[in-house]
């Protein structure tokens, strides 16, 4: 999405930067993992296909993506590759105005997990979506066997909307009403935006 191409979002633990060509090789290496493919319901892509996907994400008006960076390891654009720990995405379909689907992945090694990176990235993205993309409702589709993600989303107010035995996934939804927005503001107290590069 072009709207976020020059924006970084800074939180307490993570920095969100636009997904650029330079991030593709590291991202592609992550996605060779069969475990990550299963957890994210993704198909393996060639490196060329991954570059093409990055371009599509950059130019499509209905997709917004950021790379999640470990803030402790971040010291400007030159340090991004080594500090990458995942990604977070919002998709906007045609179902209804203001509704988006979110997915988030913490893909770094085990040292990047269980540190709150995913939770913060999730809510920084939702806040960005509310403030810039008119987001009013957000859904997450999660595989039945991804218990850690289901637990995290439901802990923060997402409610089960439906289940699909065919796709073996549950759809969780969060309506962004005033009390929820207050909670999101509290969860992202350190939120700030800066110009990228």
């Amino acid at each position: 999405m072009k709207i976020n191409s020059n924006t970084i979002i800074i939180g307490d633990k993570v920095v969100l930067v636009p997904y650029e060509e330079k991030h593709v090789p590291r991202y592609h290496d992550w996605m060779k993992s069969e475990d990550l493919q299963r957890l994210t319901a993704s198909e393996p892509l060639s490196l060329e296909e991954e570059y093409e996907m990055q371009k599509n994400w950059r130019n499509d008006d209905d997709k917004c993506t950021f790379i999640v960076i470990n803030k402790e390891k971040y010291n400007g654009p030159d340090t991004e590759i080594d500090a990458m720990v995942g990604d977070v995405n919002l998709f906007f379909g045609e179902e209804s105005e203001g509704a988006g689907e979110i997915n988030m992945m913490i893909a770094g090694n085990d040292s990047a997990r269980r540190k709150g990176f995913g939770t913060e990235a999730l809510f920084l993205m939702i806040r960005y979506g509310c403030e810039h993309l008119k987001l009013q409702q957000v859904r997450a589709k999660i595989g039945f066997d991804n218990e850690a993600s289901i637990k995290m989303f439901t802990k923060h107010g997402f409610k089960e909307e439906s289940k699909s035995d065919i796709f073996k996934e549950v759809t969780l939804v969060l309506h962004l009403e005033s009390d929820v927005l207050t909670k999101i503001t509290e969860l992202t107290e350190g939120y700030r935006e800066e110009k990228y590069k």
Side-chain angles (χ1 to χ4, degrees):
M1 193 175 266
K2 291 178 181 173
I3 191 172
N4 76 313
S5 62
N6 294 309
T7 301
I8 66 170
I9 300 170
I10 299 169
D12 295 324
K13 298 178 179 183
V14 299
V15 177
L16 305 184
V17 301
Y19 184 28
E20 297 210 312
E21 204 171 277
K22 66 181 178 180
H23 302 122
V24 171
R26 179 83 183 268
Y27 186 87
H28 179 66
D29 281 345
W30 286 340
M31 296 313 296
K32 291 176 184 174
S33 159
E34 290 181 11
D35 196 39
L36 278 179
Q37 289 172 25
R38 179 181 55 78
L39 290 172
T40 59
S42 300
E43 295 292 325
L45 299 177
S46 69
L47 184 58
E48 293 74 24
E49 289 170 324
E50 205 76 71
Y51 276 112
E52 196 57 41
M53 185 75 75
Q54 181 272 330
K55 282 183 198 159
N56 290 338
W57 279 84
R58 176 58 149 248
N59 295 317
D60 283 359
D61 290 331
D62 60 352
K63 298 179 182 78
C64 183
T65 190
F66 286 97
I67 294 294
V68 181
I69 303 287
N70 178 345
K71 188 177 177 182
E72 281 185 359
K73 296 182 177 181
Y74 179 72
N75 190 21
D78 293 341
T79 62
E80 286 173 17
I81 306 306
D82 288 338
M84 286 172 66
V85 293
D87 73 331
V88 61
N89 312 288
L90 264 176
F91 309 86
F92 292 89
E94 298 173 4
E95 321 78 63
S96 62
E97 187 86 18
E101 181 182 329
I102 197 161
N103 65 44
M104 180 271 308
M105 170 183 75
I106 298 302
N109 58 31
D110 285 341
S111 67
R113 297 201 174 109
R114 293 172 201 72
K115 293 194 170 185
F117 294 161
T119 300
E120 186 175 67
L122 178 74
F123 285 104
L124 290 172
M125 180 60 124
I126 291 173
R127 182 165 173 176
Y128 179 83
C130 290
E131 294 182 4
H132 297 281
L133 306 172
K134 301 179 182 169
L135 187 66
Q136 298 168 3
Q137 173 183 294
V138 64
R139 283 186 174 80
K141 293 181 180 178
I142 305 170
F144 290 161
D145 58 350
N146 193 345
E147 293 173 15
S149 288
I150 292 170
K151 187 176 179 182
M152 184 196 75
F153 278 82
T154 54
K155 175 183 173 185
H156 291 290
F158 281 74
K159 307 283 186 208
E160 184 178 312
E161 182 181 64
S162 62
K163 278 185 175 179
S164 170
D165 290 326
I166 295 169
F167 295 109
K168 297 187 180 355
E169 66 185 16
V170 60
T171 299
L172 305 175
V173 66
L174 183 67
H175 297 280
L176 301 172
E177 293 157 354
S178 59
D179 58 327
V180 174
L181 292 174
T182 300
K183 182 182 174 189
I184 290 169
T185 302
E186 289 168 2
L187 285 168
T188 58
E189 193 176 3
Y191 180 105
R192 74 180 197 274
E193 294 178 26
E194 291 184 2
K195 196 166 179 66
Y196 188 53
K197 299 178 192 172

